[in-house]
């Protein structure tokens, strides 16, 4: 390909490339889906100049910021959520929020495939298998052999590893440690919403991680902010201790924080009218409600809890008497949301650095996707405005570090040879206004537009999932998790 004749030249953008520390107004040339040049604006001839006149297409991004495409390492696009039937909502939501690559933290491959086929909006998607007793596991006490066969089946289906939901389906310490060890043996990805049968989805769950890892275990610890809601100590004390634990586990743990106020959980109650899920019980206790069906109804009626309802446009949160009706009609089997995540701890966890300047929590992720809180960029921009992050640091936490977490060496950077996955931010509006995947526009002004032109999306799979991916008839790309920060850190 003639690199002097790019398919596309993006001109006059403020380019944010954390890998090289570049923060300057530059042009970016794209050829064959790959970045073919980054340089100062100009005509032919100059050594650093990008030749705009020769380009197939030119997009003028004066006044806009251009960062490597947002990589959201914690979304839900392939899971079963009570009351949600459309598997494509999440895929559209993530693209409309500016993401170009996402990791589905625990779901079903067939739902991801169906979602991409029917409603794919052009994002790259990696999935983790869910460890759910009665669904992907016979029970909550699987043998080492069972764990390994579930992992192998997940990898063979095209997922890149496993996710444990300690806050919903906790295992014993031994089983939890074994699941991590099994994933580590195969250098598969492994993500952990903390909590075991001897702790909870709280700081006490995070405190167990060093013991679960032993000498050299590796794990992705999900949404650190969810363990700093003030369930055990004060939120400030929990945040300080969480940062201390993560700093101590440097090189063995990767982690993310989300910046949204609402959480998401399940309303499910048992035959005796007790709320089943640890996360939901914690939410009720935080405001003094009983952890029962009646306590849940009161919390919704008072406007604290919301039921999640699917609408054609996506999901919405319904509180008050309408919410109680949804909860009753679904016989408690409904997604629920509580405004329990704290801005102060999220800010602190996002900004905290070690003495050498590296971030203690690697990434900002949404824990959204299908859930209506895909606010990474808006909230990160709020932090930039407040002075909590520089624009380059924002790009580091939204793209460069996430790319390293999954070992995507051609993403998360804006330099020649890298994939032309790019996210454009309007600093006035404080949100993403355009995204490109492999040089094709997939989002414009908050609307997913890529399905028809740029393809519906690509699967990211390990070598064990290659034949499954080929069988799905979708584009796919191999990831090498031995290059993941999980294993190189
Ligand atoms: Zn999650």
């Amino acid at each position: 390909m003639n690199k002097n004749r790019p398919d596309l030249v993006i001109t006059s953008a403020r380019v944010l490339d954390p890998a090289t520390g570049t923060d300057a107004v530059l042009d970016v040339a794209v050829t064959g889906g790959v970045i073919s040049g980054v340089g100062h604006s100009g005509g032919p001839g100059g050594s650093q100049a990008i030749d705009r006149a020769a380009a197939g297409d030119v997009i003028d991004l004066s006044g806009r910021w251009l960062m490597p495409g947002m990589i959201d390492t914690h979304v839900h696009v392939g899971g079963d959520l009570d009351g949600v039937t459309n598997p494509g909502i999440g895929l559209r939501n993530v693209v409309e929020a500016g993401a170009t690559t996402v990791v589905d933290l625990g779901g079903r491959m067939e739902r991801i495939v169906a979602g991409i086929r029917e409603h794919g909006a052009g994002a790259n998607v990696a999935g983790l298998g869910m460890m759910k007793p009665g669904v992907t596991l016979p029970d909550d006490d699987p043998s080492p052999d069972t764990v390994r066969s579930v992992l192998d089946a997940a990898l063979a289906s095209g997922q890149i590893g496993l996710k444990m939901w300690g806050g919903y389906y906790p295992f014993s310490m031994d089983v939890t440690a074994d699941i991590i060890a099994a994933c580590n043996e195969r250098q598969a990805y492994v993500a952990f919403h903390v909590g075991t049968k001897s702790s909870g989805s709280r700081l006490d769950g995070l405190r167990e991680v060093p013991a679960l890892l032993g000498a050299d275990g590796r794990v992705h610890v999900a949404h650190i902010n969810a363990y700093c809601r003030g369930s055990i100590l004060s939120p400030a004390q929990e945040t300080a201790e969480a940062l201390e634990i993560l700093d101590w586990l440097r090189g063995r743990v990767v982690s993310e924080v989300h910046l949204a106020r609402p959480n998401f959980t399940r309303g499910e109650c048992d035959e005796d009218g007790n709320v089943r899920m640890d996360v939901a019980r914690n939410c009720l206790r935080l405001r003094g409600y009983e952890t029962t069906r009646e306590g849940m109804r009161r919390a919704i009626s008072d406007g604290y809890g919301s039921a999640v309802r699917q609408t054609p446009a996506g999901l919405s949160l319904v509180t008050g008497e309408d919410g109680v009706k949804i909860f009753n009609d679904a016989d408690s089997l409904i997604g629920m949301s509580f405004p329990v995540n704290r801005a102060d701890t999220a800010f602190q966890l996002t900004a905290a650095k070690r003495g050498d300047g590296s971030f203690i929590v690697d990434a900002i992720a949404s824990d959204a996707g299908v859930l209506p809180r895909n606010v990474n960029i808006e909230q990160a921009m709020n932090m930039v405005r407040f002075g909590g992050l520089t624009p380059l640091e924002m790009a580091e936490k939204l793209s460069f570090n996430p790319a390293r977490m999954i070992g995507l060496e051609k993403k998360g950077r804006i330099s020649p040879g890298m994939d032309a996955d790019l996210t454009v931010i309007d600093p006035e509006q404080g949100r993403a206004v355009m995204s490109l995947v492999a040089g094709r526009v997939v989002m414009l002004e908050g609307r997913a537009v890529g399905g028809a032109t740029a393809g519906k999306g690509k699967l990211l799979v390990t070598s064990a999932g290659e034949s499954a991916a080929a069988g799905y008839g979708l584009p796919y790309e191999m990831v090498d998790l031995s290059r993941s920060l999980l294993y190189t850190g």
Side-chain angles (χ1 to χ4, degrees):
M1 219 157 296
N2 182 349
K3 72 177 214 166
N4 296 320
R5 292 194 173 277
D7 303 328
L8 170 69
V9 172
I10 293 165
T11 65
S12 309
R14 178 176 174 182
V15 171
L16 302 169
D17 179 38
T20 56
T22 302
D23 177 352
V25 174
L26 295 167
D27 287 1
V28 175
V30 175
T31 308
V34 171
I35 295 170
S36 52
V38 180
H40 294 287
S41 308
S47 59
Q48 279 231 300
I50 304 270
D51 186 358
R52 294 177 180 185
D57 240 321
V58 176
I59 302 177
D60 181 351
L61 290 182
S62 304
R64 303 283 166 93
W65 298 3
L66 183 70
M67 58 168 254
M70 178 168 73
I71 299 173
D72 194 333
T73 56
H74 187 160
V75 304
H76 296 283
V77 296
D80 303 299
L81 196 70
D82 294 322
V84 178
T85 54
N86 181 342
I89 291 176
L91 289 163
R92 192 183 63 212
N93 286 351
V94 299
V95 167
E96 294 189 337
T100 54
T101 296
V102 296
V103 183
D104 179 60
L105 237 64
R108 299 166 186 271
M109 203 60 202
E110 60 267 30
R111 271 182 71 89
I112 291 176
V113 170
I116 294 176
R117 280 197 187 126
E118 293 163 33
H119 311 275
N124 306 300
V125 187
L128 300 184
M130 54 183 182
M131 297 301 269
K132 188 169 177 181
V135 179
T136 60
L137 293 167
D139 53 42
D140 65 0
D141 191 24
S143 70
D145 281 351
T146 302
V147 166
R148 279 151 190 79
S149 67
V150 169
L151 171 58
D152 287 341
L155 295 174
S157 80
Q159 290 169 325
I160 66 167
L162 297 176
K163 159 78 179 293
M164 285 181 284
W165 276 306
Y168 295 91
Y169 312 107
F171 303 106
S172 68
M173 291 276 289
D174 283 350
V175 169
T176 305
D178 183 51
I179 293 169
I180 294 171
C183 291
N184 290 173
E185 280 159 30
R186 285 161 172 70
Q187 290 198 323
Y189 207 79
V190 54
F192 186 29
H193 172 160
V194 307
T196 66
K197 287 180 179 173
S198 40
S199 65
S201 173
R202 299 177 304 252
L203 184 67
D204 57 340
L206 190 62
R207 283 173 178 157
E208 292 177 338
V209 174
L212 293 168
L213 295 184
D216 195 35
R218 309 293 178 113
V219 76
H220 167 143
V221 181
H223 51 46
I224 302 300
N225 53 305
Y227 322 128
C228 305
R229 291 172 179 158
S231 294
I232 295 178
L233 307 171
S234 74
Q237 288 169 320
E238 290 182 351
T239 302
E241 189 176 335
L243 288 169
E244 207 174 300
I245 293 169
L246 293 172
D247 190 25
W248 191 59
L249 290 172
R250 178 178 198 173
R252 292 190 284 149
V253 160
V254 297
S255 63
E256 26 85 10
V257 59
H258 75 69
L259 303 181
R261 184 133 175 82
N263 83 331
F264 285 90
T265 184
R266 303 187 59 206
E268 185 176 349
C269 298
D270 64 18
E271 316 73 59
D272 302 325
N274 293 311
V275 173
R276 239 187 236 282
M277 300 302 166
D278 185 48
V279 175
R281 289 196 299 260
N282 288 336
C283 291
L284 292 169
R285 283 191 205 110
L286 275 173
R287 294 277 186 96
Y289 291 96
E290 284 182 12
T291 57
T292 61
R293 191 182 288 263
E294 195 43 44
M296 190 71 94
R297 286 192 186 118
R298 290 224 173 91
I300 303 170
S301 171
D302 291 350
Y304 173 50
S306 299
V308 179
R309 181 168 59 187
Q310 181 179 296
T311 71
L315 303 190
S316 66
L317 304 182
V318 186
T319 189
E321 291 317 308
D322 292 345
V324 173
K325 184 173 184 326
I326 293 171
F327 178 80
N328 288 340
D329 290 349
D331 193 21
S332 84
L333 293 177
I334 195 78
M336 292 288 309
S337 176
F338 297 87
V340 289
N341 295 306
R342 302 176 58 93
D344 52 356
T345 56
F347 187 106
Q348 210 180 335
L349 290 166
T350 303
K353 285 184 167 181
R354 302 184 179 91
D356 66 2
S358 64
F359 284 109
I360 296 177
V361 176
D362 302 282
I364 295 168
S366 67
D367 194 7
V370 66
L371 306 168
R373 61 168 177 192
N374 291 279
V375 294
N376 288 353
I377 290 178
E378 284 92 330
Q379 292 288 63
M381 283 298 287
N382 285 335
M383 278 193 69
V384 168
R385 286 169 172 156
F386 195 69
L389 292 173
T390 66
L392 264 181
E393 287 171 341
M394 176 183 71
E396 179 180 346
K397 302 207 75 143
L398 290 174
S399 182
F400 179 63
N401 284 352
R404 294 165 68 219
M405 286 163 70
I406 355 177
L408 300 172
E409 295 181 328
K410 299 218 157 182
K411 299 193 190 295
R413 300 159 185 257
I414 301 182
S415 50
M418 298 296 131
D419 292 344
D421 293 4
L422 300 161
T423 298
V424 180
I425 293 173
D426 179 345
E428 307 264 306
Q429 299 179 56
R431 66 182 182 95
V433 291
M434 184 190 291
S435 317
L436 298 90
V437 174
R440 299 274 186 80
V441 176
V442 296
M443 185 275 278
L444 207 50
E445 300 296 339
R447 306 303 302 173
V449 297
T453 55
K456 289 172 178 283
K458 191 192 272 185
L459 294 172
L460 302 178
V461 302
T462 69
S463 54
E466 191 175 6
S467 59
Y472 298 136
L474 293 172
Y476 64 91
E477 187 174 317
M478 312 287 283
V479 295
D480 178 359
L481 292 169
S482 71
R483 299 179 182 278
S484 154
L485 199 52
L486 255 193
Y487 295 112
T488 61

